[in-house]
DNA sequence: CCGCATCCTAGGCGATACTG
DNA sequence: CAGTATCGCCTAGGATGCGG
């Protein structure tokens, strides 16, 4: 039984956790979940280039995605979430037809920069990861 | 119509995307999805402290989580995914009862470091984000 | 102790059709 | 053009029970 170092580790971690976060409405978990979803990082990437209207943004995301296009409904949902957290700003001008523009806030640009760092790290390790997967899949037969 | 700068932006982005990634089995999207899930970052955090057995790890994760404990099934699944990508190493000793230990690989430790940077950035902005949410929720009434 | 199989539920996301 | 409503699928993840 190596229970002593084990409990020590638990105590250390528990202290670290309760220091920040752990309680409900934990932005860290929620934002990480957002960045891990199907579209948000791609949306940030496009909005980084300037101001976009809903339809144009939707078309462009479809072209950038290897899979299929984002549905209108989901784009609205994602933009709402991003806007709610303060990463995206929404501007309305005119109402028939409506003209709505989206752009990054300074906070959103900063978030995108941070996320890119992680994504780039993964991309440079991509072959490494692919190799590990092949080995793993071949191993158990 | 500002279609010129628009298409320019598209072209630039498309080039950037096809440079790396975009094609299927894109590790970046998959690993980001992993880090955005319910448990993986927490698992990395605990494994950072050393070598852990399945049951102990499970108990500790339960204590660190504000919500409920991770199920045995899901812990196995998450560890398998992490192992498959080369972030976690699994060692078996004895078979009745089995003794299985998990620890981070160098790649896994590195990944965790990168992820922590992003998580820490979010945590330092947490109040900022919470405030944005309150404003947004109050706005439309 | 660990892992697997089974079953079940909640939520993410796509498709379509409709309003202002 | 932007947004909403409704539907239906599929996956993540929890609960339980068995076997090695």
């Amino acid at each position: 039984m190596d229970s002593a170092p084990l409990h020590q580790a638990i105590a250390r971690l528990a202290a670290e956790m309760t220091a920040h976060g752990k309680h409900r409405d934990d932005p860290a978990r929620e934002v990480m979940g957002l960045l891990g979803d199907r579209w948000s990082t791609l949306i940030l990437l496009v909005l980084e280039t300037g101001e976009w209207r809903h339809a144009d943004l939707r078309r462009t995301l479809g072209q950038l995605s290897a899979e299929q296009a984002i549905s209108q409904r989901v784009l609205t949902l994602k933009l709402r979430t991003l806007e709610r957290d303060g990463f995206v700003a929404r501007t309305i001008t005119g109402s028939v037809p409506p003209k709505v523009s989206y752009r990054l806030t300074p906070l959103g640009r900063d978030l995108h920069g941070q996320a890119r760092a992680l994504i780039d790290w993964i991309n440079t390790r991509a072959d490494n990861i692919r190799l590990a997967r092949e080995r793993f899949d071949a191993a158990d037969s």
Side-chain angles (χ1 to χ4, degrees), chain A:
Chain A
M1 270 305 181
D2 57 343
S3 61
L6 188 151
H7 291 323
Q8 199 179 56
I10 293 178
R12 206 160 10 105
L13 285 169
E16 178 179 349
M17 293 302 288
T18 44
H20 49 214
K22 174 172 179 173
H23 305 90
R24 238 9 42 194
D25 98 301
D26 175 1
R29 276 229 36 61
E30 292 164 0
V31 174
M32 285 301 286
L34 189 63
L35 295 175
D37 77 9
R38 177 81 181 68
W39 294 106
S40 296
T41 57
L42 208 48
I43 293 174
L44 292 180
L45 180 66
V46 176
L47 289 185
E48 178 85 7
T49 66
E51 188 158 287
W52 288 78
R53 298 187 60 184
H54 184 104
D56 294 333
L57 178 54
R58 182 159 131 74
R59 242 185 312 277
T60 303
L61 288 169
Q63 291 173 351
L64 293 179
S65 168
E67 304 160 42
Q68 68 211 348
I70 185 173
S71 70
Q72 193 184 29
R73 188 181 80 92
V74 174
L75 178 54
T76 305
L77 282 176
K78 293 302 171 188
L79 287 170
R80 281 289 182 287
T81 308
L82 259 3
E83 186 194 1
R84 191 174 104 98
D85 283 2
F87 301 132
V88 161
R90 179 169 173 267
T91 332
I92 315 176
T93 48
S95 65
V96 155
K99 181 176 191 310
V100 183
S101 292
Y102 297 91
R103 66 183 188 285
L104 292 186
T105 62
L107 189 66
R109 245 189 308 282
D110 203 352
L111 173 70
H112 181 237
Q114 300 293 325
R116 282 311 295 179
L118 178 52
I119 292 171
D120 289 344
W121 181 91
I122 300 171
N123 275 330
T124 63
R125 289 352 184 248
D127 288 339
N128 217 315
I129 294 170
R130 269 189 278 261
L131 186 63
R133 289 181 184 173
E134 286 172 24
R135 262 198 295 263
F136 182 90
D137 293 343
D140 56 355
S141 81

